Amino acid sequence: MTTTKWLPVRVLPVLVTAVDLAVLHGPVPVTPLDWVLGLTAAVLTGAGAWLPLTTTVAQSALLLATGDGAVQAAMPVMFVLTMITLGELWIRRGRWPALCGTAAFVAAQSWLYAPAFDPLLTPTSLLLTAAPPVLLGLYIRSVLGVALEADRRREEAVLAARVAERTAIARELHDLMAHHLASVAVQVGAARHALHGSDPRVDEALAQAHATTRAGLGDLKRLMTVLRDPAATSEGNAAGASLADEDGLPAALTAVVERTRAAGVALDAEIDPAVAGLDSIRRLAVLRVVQEGLTNVVKHGGPHATLTVRADDEATRIAVTDDGTGASSGAPGFGLVGMRERVELLGGHVTASGRNGGWNLQVTIPGGES
């Protein structure tokens, strides 16, 4: 648990103790020893965030110094401070350290009450001072444990989403490379056929190039058996190959826009024809961003939305806005996590925020035409 940000709060025990001894002590006279022991206990309470067991034991030992009657005004506030530290001990440490601190507190009180032990009042007093901080500490620890577990699961889910997005990128890159290598193999094969017999050295070089290309294709196919997700859609599996050609991205974006309109969204779309000049990796990123953005519009958006895709030599900029329900009160979905992972791998950035009851997605991917 983080304690540094709570440092100002750690000063409160000292201030409260000083006010109690200076103003609220009542008719009981305040001695210098009251000030020394009271302020020492207050300072120790502030250290309970880092050393709760040591602090509890030290405060219990300080209580023993009040047993001869020389310290009376500081005793009540010292009991309260020790109870606070005991509760913090049960919050911050495990069972055995907490039990040791509780035993020290109970033992100190038992020593104080021993001269005037009462079979009914003494055990009741011990229970009333030790049980509340223990129960409160256990309760707060359980609540914090649930919150921390939820945070841990959320972090694991985000990590899984990031890994899944990287796996998807690897699959798409396979499709791209397979498409390009297949084209190279065809071209080399045609060159071998056209130049066969013209020069033995040319024949040998072309044969080696053809064999290397085909071997690369075989390696990619074997890699794909590991990376390919059997549950992936046919559209997703074909994305890499379909975007290898320059006219693939405009056609794919147009298809996404038409599907969004068919789902009932009045979508105004402006797609810069210059996106056809992007390199293959950026074409894939642009398509995935638009797909995810418009999917969210269909799920959560209103009846009207806008899409803008612009590309120049410096960057490709994508904007998706709608007049729907706006940002959810919960954590962002994992689609946005995957989108952010893909864009940031290319050095870009994603901004998603609410706007007048709707949603605003702004994506910038550096790098222009290939």
Side-chain angles (χ1 to χ4, degrees):
M1 301 176 196
T2 303
T3 56
T4 305
K5 66 179 181 180
W6 295 107
L7 281 177
V9 179
R10 296 289 162 183
V11 182
L12 285 179
V14 177
L15 298 177
V16 172
T17 301
V19 171
D20 178 77
L21 294 177
V23 180
L24 305 177
H25 59 83
V28 180
V30 180
T31 65
L33 189 57
D34 283 303
W35 281 101
V36 172
L37 294 181
L39 292 178
T40 301
V43 172
L44 287 173
T45 303
W50 298 275
L51 301 170
L53 176 57
T54 302
T55 300
T56 304
V57 173
Q59 288 179 324
S60 300
L62 287 177
L63 288 176
L64 296 177
T66 66
D68 57 1
V71 175
Q72 296 184 15
M75 181 181 289
V77 73
M78 290 176 64
F79 264 92
V80 173
L81 292 174
T82 307
M83 293 171 65
I84 292 173
T85 306
L86 179 61
E88 192 161 31
L89 173 61
W90 279 92
I91 294 173
R92 297 185 179 278
R93 295 295 182 265
R95 178 183 303 174
W96 291 110
L99 287 174
C100 291
T102 305
F105 184 40
V106 172
Q109 292 185 79
S110 301
W111 181 267
L112 291 175
Y113 298 149
F117 180 83
D118 184 281
L120 178 61
L121 296 179
T122 301
T124 302
S125 178
L126 293 175
L127 182 64
L128 290 177
T129 54
V134 171
L135 295 176
L136 183 60
L138 287 173
Y139 173 74
I140 295 176
R141 183 181 180 90
S142 66
V143 172
L144 291 177
V146 172
L148 291 174
E149 178 66 16
D151 290 342
R152 183 186 65 80
R153 291 181 179 178
R154 171 69 186 176
E155 291 176 357
E156 290 179 351
V158 169
L159 178 60
R162 293 170 66 94
V163 172
E165 190 65 23
R166 291 198 176 201
T167 303
I169 294 172
R171 292 196 303 265
E172 294 160 358
L173 287 179
H174 161 270
D175 293 336
L176 286 171
M177 295 305 298
H179 175 85
H180 291 311
L181 284 178
S183 298
V184 171
V186 171
Q187 297 297 326
V188 172
R192 289 181 66 192
H193 179 75
L195 300 176
H196 180 68
S198 61
D199 190 323
R201 292 173 298 179
V202 173
D203 291 343
E204 181 180 358
L206 291 176
Q208 291 179 352
H210 193 259
T212 301
T213 305
R214 295 186 63 83
L217 280 171
D219 290 339
L220 281 174
K221 290 180 180 179
R222 285 188 290 272
L223 176 63
M224 207 55 223
T225 62
V226 178
L227 294 179
R228 179 71 73 195
D229 181 4
T233 63
S234 58
E235 176 189 351
N237 290 343
S242 65
L243 295 188
D245 298 325
E246 288 191 358
D247 59 350
L249 179 57
L253 292 177
T254 300
V256 175
V257 168
E258 293 304 321
R259 284 197 300 271
T260 303
R261 289 171 175 165
V265 179
L267 178 63
D268 296 332
E270 179 185 345
I271 300 175
D272 189 347
V275 296
L278 296 174
D279 61 70
S280 299
I281 305 301
R282 285 172 173 77
R283 291 178 210 160
L284 283 170
V286 169
L287 177 60
R288 293 309 186 204
V289 167
V290 172
Q291 285 177 331
E292 182 62 33
L294 293 183
T295 297
N296 288 335
V297 168
V298 172
K299 289 181 178 179
H300 311 294
H304 181 264
T306 61
L307 166 67
T308 304
V309 182
R310 293 190 177 94
D312 54 39
D313 293 339
E314 296 182 355
T316 301
R317 297 172 177 84
I318 305 168
V320 180
T321 60
D322 65 73
D323 55 2
T325 58
S328 171
S329 58
F334 297 122
L336 182 59
V337 173
M339 180 196 304
R340 200 180 299 275
E341 176 74 7
R342 182 183 292 268
V343 171
E344 289 179 352
L345 285 174
L346 294 175
H349 59 85
V350 177
T351 303
S353 59
R355 55 173 294 276
N356 299 326
W359 189 255
N360 180 26
L361 174 68
Q362 300 286 335
V363 178
T364 300
I365 303 174
E369 301 181 357
S370 58

